[in-house]
Amino acid sequence: MSEDDRLVEIRRRTEHLEGCVTPQRLERFRHAASERLTSVTVVLENFWDAHNVSAVIRSAEGLGLSDAHVVESPYRYRGNRAILRGADRWLHVHRHPSIDACLETISAAGFVTCAADVGEGCLELDELPVDRPLAIVMGTERHGLSVEAKHLTDLRYTIPMQGLTESFNVSVSAAVSLFHLTTARRRRFGSDLSVEECAAKIERWVEISTNSLQPQR
């Protein structure tokens, strides 16, 4: 099925939602669902800064991810509403008690876990295996990833720098990484959701939009 035919079928399956939200909003939902990816995700380990974690989640949703993961040990997830701009209403933010529990869950789901790092043994971003589901794992700007996180991930990668600055801040690093990986995945495989899954997600988004629900998937 071509992308045009796929969108036509998504429209057909969501005709019953017309009138629940404005036509423009429903069409935005249809296009967003048709581009959604479940095969790329991001893990944020111990982010104490609500600005940074919110900026990454906003980028993740803006680039079409379905899920993000936060590790709440020792810091609880706190979103900054002004930064999020509602992004956490449209994707599922999973909370985990520890990095090992988080990575075990993600690995069991078939993801290759990739730690953002620097130093010997790191692949460059464009060397990551985009033919498989990927989870990028980010640490805080001050301390980076824990030793445990680096030990438990499958790969370590770095973003090459062409300027004189030594590194990007964490929210920019996440955005650059996710942009590269989502673009590569879509070019090779297209969207991850079936037409039926797209329709179900649109129904959920309409429900959230019309009932002003708390952040959900």
Side-chain angles (χ1 to χ4, degrees), residues 62-75:
L63 290 168
L65 271 62
S66 286
D67 304 273
H69 300 261
V70 294
V71 177
E72 297 186 304
S73 173
Y75 303 110

Side-chain angles (χ1 to χ4, degrees), residues 47-61:
F47 273 50
W48 60 269
D49 188 325
H51 183 287
N52 281 339
V53 70
S54 299
V56 175
I57 290 172
R58 181 174 170 180
S59 293
E61 198 288 319

Side-chain angles (χ1 to χ4, degrees), residues 140-161:
T140 63
E141 289 186 26
R142 182 178 299 177
H143 301 296
L145 287 168
S146 66
V147 173
E148 184 179 15
K150 294 179 185 181
H151 176 72
L152 292 172
T153 47
D154 300 308
L155 302 170
R156 294 165 53 240
Y157 80 96
T158 191
I159 301 173
M161 303 291 297

Side-chain angles (χ1 to χ4, degrees), residues 12-68:
R12 187 186 70 79
R13 288 174 181 261
T14 56
E15 285 179 348
H16 64 288
L17 298 172
E18 293 174 1
C20 297
V21 292
T22 66
Q24 295 82 3
R25 192 165 185 79
L26 182 56
E27 195 63 14
R28 283 189 67 190
F29 286 162
R30 288 164 171 163
H31 280 275
S34 72
E35 294 288 340
R36 220 60 169 174
L37 292 180
T38 58
S39 57
V40 179
T41 193
V42 60
V43 176
L44 306 177
E45 185 191 27
N46 296 337
F47 273 50
W48 60 269
D49 188 325
H51 183 287
N52 281 339
V53 70
S54 299
V56 175
I57 290 172
R58 181 174 170 180
S59 293
E61 198 288 319
L63 290 168
L65 271 62
S66 286
D67 304 273

Side-chain angles (χ1 to χ4, degrees), residues 102-194:
C102 176
L103 295 180
E104 182 179 359
T105 297
I106 291 172
S107 296
F111 284 83
V112 178
T113 53
C114 308
D117 199 12
V118 294
E120 186 176 352
C122 287
L123 299 175
E124 293 195 357
L125 174 60
D126 63 2
E127 295 177 312
L128 293 180
V130 294
D131 58 328
R132 297 181 60 186
L134 292 172
I136 65 166
V137 186
M138 313 290 296
T140 63
E141 289 186 26
R142 182 178 299 177
H143 301 296
L145 287 168
S146 66
V147 173
E148 184 179 15
K150 294 179 185 181
H151 176 72
L152 292 172
T153 47
D154 300 308
L155 302 170
R156 294 165 53 240
Y157 80 96
T158 191
I159 301 173
M161 303 291 297
Q162 278 73 47
L164 300 177
T165 307
E166 292 183 356
S167 64
F168 297 115
N169 68 40
V170 67
S171 60
V172 171
S173 294
V176 169
S177 299
L178 293 174
F179 176 80
H180 172 79
L181 298 175
T182 55
T183 299
R185 286 287 304 185
R186 288 193 183 96
R187 282 177 177 168
R188 188 172 297 190
F189 302 109
S191 171
D192 292 330
L193 300 186
S194 67

Side-chain angles (χ1 to χ4, degrees), residues 2-20:
S2 71
E3 286 301 309
D4 288 343
D5 290 341
R6 187 166 178 272
L7 193 53
V8 167
E9 182 63 15
I10 291 171
R11 289 193 182 104
R12 187 186 70 79
R13 288 174 181 261
T14 56
E15 285 179 348
H16 64 288
L17 298 172
E18 293 174 1
C20 297

